[in-house]
Amino acid sequence: MKIAVLPGDGIGTEIVAEAVKVLDTLDLKFEMETALVGGAAYEAHGHPLPESTLKLAMAADAVLFGAVGDWKYDKLDRPLRPEQAILGLRKHMGLFANFRPAICYPELVGASSLKPEVISGLDILIIRELTGDIYFGQPRGRRTAVDGHFPGAEEAFDTMRYSKPEIERIAHVAFQAARKRNKKVTSVDKANVLETFQFWKDVVTEVHAQYPDVELEHMYVDNAAMQLVRAPKKFDVVVTGNMFGDILSDEASMLTGSIGMLPSASLNTKSQGLYEPSHGSAPDIAGQGIANPLATILSAAMMLRFSLNQPEAAARIESAVGSVLASGLRTADIWSPGTTKVSTRDMGDAVVAAITKTIKG
Ligand code: NAD
């Protein structure tokens, strides 16, 4: 099992070190190789995704990714910015399905900004399509308007588009995921206004015919944004496009208490995947040893389950995280009175100790 380890920038190096420590504790044989990505790679090689890093990622069964970015790179040309490394990896590895499970651990019910009864027991899965939508559609750019409300004015434009096979494959992923859970898919669109999302709705409905055991509901994105904070437990699997998924999955992260708790997986058709926390490089707290490593550790668990076919090891990590939280240890982002504040490294050590206990036990 070959894992490419790409820590990246900011807190990326701190949190990935803890996830690697956790993987090393398991009685499994991994070949792990580390490479630079993002701003760190730009500093060393002049590019955020050097050829050598890309080659390593492509040859691996899975990529464990930290985070990239720093405000100091904001003035670079867009292709050289750290964030381009993620887009490059998604493109070259053919990653099209982004899984973000939002689970509220009982011990963190108080850390969420929502009422306990709204989020306790929450376990939903957001599946975001990654290859299409307005993020990649051509043409795009700036020009002088020839029509509209201000002809002759400077304007910018993007193109929203989805092909039928793109929608079909993400719909299949969502229905299959729902079959292993509570058998309900909510497809989020804006079919009342956008042609692209009327098409999305039609294609998802067509694919649904192959999954009669799974319930399908359609929901407009504005309503979905509201329902996610009003009654999130009504959802099971949510499937949506690239842009709506980007926004809704960050909204869902706050249901779990902190963005530092939310793992993610991006998969291609061969189950090769990129696993990363849902948060960024957090330059505001980088180097202080206070970042929460649990989203990255839980991403490593997803890696074991989805790409490395080690579901038992994944469950061992997840239950270790649960027992560490139950013991009252918290990083600063999830700390509340009556619990014990620990550093990034202490939190990683505690998860390692909990796993070691189950192996010995
Ligand atoms: P961010 O997710 O890095 O941080 C948002 C807030 O959450 C900050 O206050 C931060 O301290 C906190 N936070 C994030 N992760 C945490 C953790 N594990 N533990 C405790 N607190 C945590 O988002 P941002 O500030 O908007 O972006 C910072 C940089 O990260 C930017 O350069 C952005 O482009 C980049 N970014 C990268 C990725 C990625 O690598 N996949 C994703 C999002 C943003």
Side-chain angles (χ1 to χ4, degrees):
M1 293 182 283
K2 190 163 180 181
I3 304 171
V5 180
L6 310 183
D9 307 320
I11 61 168
T13 49
E14 302 166 48
I15 52 181
V16 166
E18 299 313 311
V20 167
K21 208 157 76 181
V22 168
L23 288 170
D24 278 338
T25 310
L26 302 165
D27 45 357
L28 296 170
K29 283 204 165 48
F30 303 113
E31 198 187 314
M32 289 196 251
E33 199 176 329
T34 302
L36 296 176
V37 74
Y42 172 76
E43 302 285 354
H45 304 288
H47 197 278
L49 182 59
E51 199 56 44
S52 53
T53 302
L54 180 60
K55 222 166 134 188
L56 177 72
M58 300 286 287
D61 297 299
V63 176
L64 182 62
F65 192 93
V68 291
D70 192 294
W71 315 125
K72 69 180 175 190
Y73 302 115
D74 280 359
K75 292 214 160 54
L76 285 177
D77 285 347
R78 196 167 289 282
L80 294 178
R81 291 199 200 157
E83 293 79 6
Q84 293 298 315
I86 306 173
L87 298 181
L89 284 165
R90 280 183 190 157
K91 188 172 150 213
H92 288 283
M93 293 173 71
L95 306 173
F96 73 94
N98 181 237
F99 283 59
R100 292 197 191 187
I103 296 169
C104 186
Y105 284 86
E107 297 80 12
L108 295 186
V109 164
S112 171
S113 49
L114 297 188
K115 288 184 194 141
E117 61 270 28
V118 175
I119 41 121
S120 87
L122 178 81
D123 180 356
I124 63 175
L125 173 64
I126 300 201
I127 300 181
R128 168 187 170 196
E129 204 290 330
L130 283 181
T131 61
D133 211 340
I134 199 161
Y135 288 3
F136 299 106
Q138 294 290 343
R140 60 192 286 167
R142 291 185 184 207
R143 63 186 172 194
T144 302
V146 291
D147 51 16
H149 293 296
F150 296 96
E154 195 188 353
E155 70 173 10
F157 63 103
D158 297 277
T159 302
M160 179 178 272
R161 60 190 289 179
Y162 261 118
S163 66
K164 191 169 185 189
E166 266 173 326
I167 305 171
E168 284 171 340
R169 68 181 178 180
I170 197 76
H172 281 293
V173 165
F175 288 122
Q176 282 161 19
R179 267 192 176 155
K180 295 185 193 145
R181 297 172 47 96
N182 293 322
K183 298 191 169 55
K184 180 177 170 189
V185 169
T186 304
S187 170
V188 173
D189 61 57
K190 190 72 185 168
N192 50 341
V193 178
L194 299 168
E195 199 56 48
T196 312
F197 275 93
Q198 180 59 55
F199 186 54
W200 171 283
K201 188 174 179 176
D202 295 346
V203 176
V204 172
T205 305
E206 214 175 289
V207 173
H208 179 231
Q210 297 174 48
Y211 301 88
D213 53 323
V214 179
E215 183 193 341
L216 169 66
E217 79 174 334
H218 299 281
M219 195 178 280
Y220 296 140
V221 64
D222 37 355
N223 187 22
M226 182 176 77
Q227 298 302 335
L228 261 180
V229 287
R230 197 182 78 90
K233 284 187 272 184
K234 283 192 177 158
F235 294 104
D236 176 23
V237 173
V238 175
V239 65
T240 189
N242 210 344
M243 180 164 63
F244 298 156
D246 193 357
I247 300 164
L248 293 181
S249 56
D250 264 28
E251 185 186 356
S253 75
M254 278 322 292
L255 305 175
T256 68
S258 166
I259 198 159
M261 292 298 303
L262 202 72
S264 86
S266 301
L267 300 173
N268 65 16
T269 49
K270 296 177 289 183
S271 296
Q272 189 193 26
L274 183 142
Y275 298 83
E276 59 173 335
S278 298
H279 57 75
S281 56
D284 55 335
I285 58 165
Q288 298 175 33
I290 59 169
N292 186 345
L294 293 180
T296 316
I297 291 171
L298 291 168
S299 302
M302 289 182 86
M303 175 174 79
L304 290 165
R305 182 170 286 120
F306 291 121
S307 288
L308 303 180
N309 201 20
Q310 299 290 337
E312 281 156 23
R316 216 181 295 155
I317 295 179
E318 287 157 354
S319 90
V321 168
S323 70
V324 167
L325 291 173
S327 75
L329 301 188
R330 303 281 188 276
T331 41
D333 57 311
I334 50 174
W335 179 84
S336 57
T339 61
T340 309
K341 202 181 279 184
V342 296
S343 68
T344 309
R345 190 174 301 161
D346 290 343
M347 185 57 101
D349 287 344
V351 176
V352 165
I355 293 172
T356 311
K357 215 162 129 189
T358 61
I359 292 173
K360 283 189 181 150

